[in-house]
Amino acid sequence: DFFNHKSRNGFYNDALNSEYATPADVNLFYLFYDGFEDEPQTPTEEENMLLDGKLDSYWRYADLIRLPADKVNAAVMEMFGITLEQTNKVGLDKLVYLEETDCYYGAGHGIHDVDMTVQRVEHQQDGTILVYYNRENMLDNMVIALKPNSNNYQILSNLPETEYMDPEERAAL
């Protein structure tokens, strides 16, 4: 249930939309695809002028997703334990950043939640929790590795079960 309640757990469900071996490789476009619920979706006149020519014409007909950089950084830090700057910025090229507003912008396409079914959960000696699951309409079974922290979980990776490797094994390569 933890991942299937977006309103309660923010972007944790959206973290299931991409595959990554380390937090630095999460696809930020997919992670923030639906935007922040409390951000206005209608661009201001100033934003329209600043974005003119920076978004392709299709984006003019979709809901605007406004992602303040400080909120993006806070969400990445909460979920992955790293800053936005420490990520490899995967997918960030699909968004437009405006220095004047310190926000990223993109087009919303509606809810992008992942329907997942947990198959099993394994608790590792180091405290890591492995959640094996499948996604609706997807062939690969997945495993998301979580590390409990003071008030939630830090995501360590999200990979097809056939590609998952213990972090210590990966470090030894």
Side-chain angles (χ1 to χ4, degrees):
D1 276 352
F2 177 79
F3 288 97
N4 288 327
H5 291 284
K6 184 170 181 169
S7 61
R8 185 179 71 207
N9 293 314
F11 293 98
Y12 281 89
N13 182 276
D14 292 328
L16 303 175
N17 281 312
S18 65
E19 298 173 6
Y20 42 95
T22 69
D25 291 322
V26 66
N27 187 310
L28 297 165
F29 176 71
Y30 290 146
L31 183 64
F32 295 107
Y33 189 83
D34 294 325
F36 292 95
E37 289 183 7
D38 62 342
E39 281 299 313
Q41 300 224 351
T42 304
T44 64
E45 194 171 312
E46 176 191 13
E47 287 171 323
N48 270 329
M49 289 188 313
L50 292 169
L51 289 167
D52 190 41
K54 294 183 180 179
L55 296 175
D56 64 39
S57 60
Y58 168 76
W59 291 33
R60 291 263 184 221
Y61 303 102
D63 289 332
L64 179 76
I65 300 297
R66 178 184 293 106
L67 303 167
D70 60 338
K71 285 185 171 183
V72 169
N73 193 55
V76 170
M77 178 60 83
E78 176 186 335
M79 294 174 51
F80 300 99
I82 61 175
T83 64
L84 178 61
E85 193 59 37
Q86 291 171 311
T87 70
N88 292 325
K89 298 175 183 61
V90 176
L92 210 56
D93 60 330
K94 294 181 179 179
L95 299 170
V96 172
Y97 176 74
L98 291 179
E99 190 173 332
E100 297 89 342
T101 61
D102 196 25
C103 292
Y104 293 90
Y105 297 87
H109 304 285
I111 302 300
H112 201 242
D113 289 346
V114 173
D115 290 326
M116 55 105 67
T117 303
V118 173
Q119 296 171 326
R120 70 181 188 276
V121 176
E122 294 179 5
H123 296 267
Q124 306 297 300
Q125 286 184 344
D126 68 354
T128 300
I129 300 169
L130 303 178
V131 179
Y132 293 82
Y133 70 96
N134 61 26
R135 300 181 286 191
E136 184 179 2
N137 301 323
M138 300 297 283
L139 297 176
D140 287 338
N141 289 325
M142 302 291 290
V143 58
I144 188 163
L146 307 169
K147 181 179 181 180
N149 61 22
S150 59
N151 61 351
N152 221 336
Y153 296 94
Q154 178 184 329
I155 300 173
L156 304 176
S157 64
N158 186 49
L159 291 168
E161 188 173 354
T162 56
E163 294 178 30
Y164 177 76
M165 185 182 296
D166 182 271
E168 289 179 10
E169 293 174 20
R170 185 178 297 108
L173 293 178

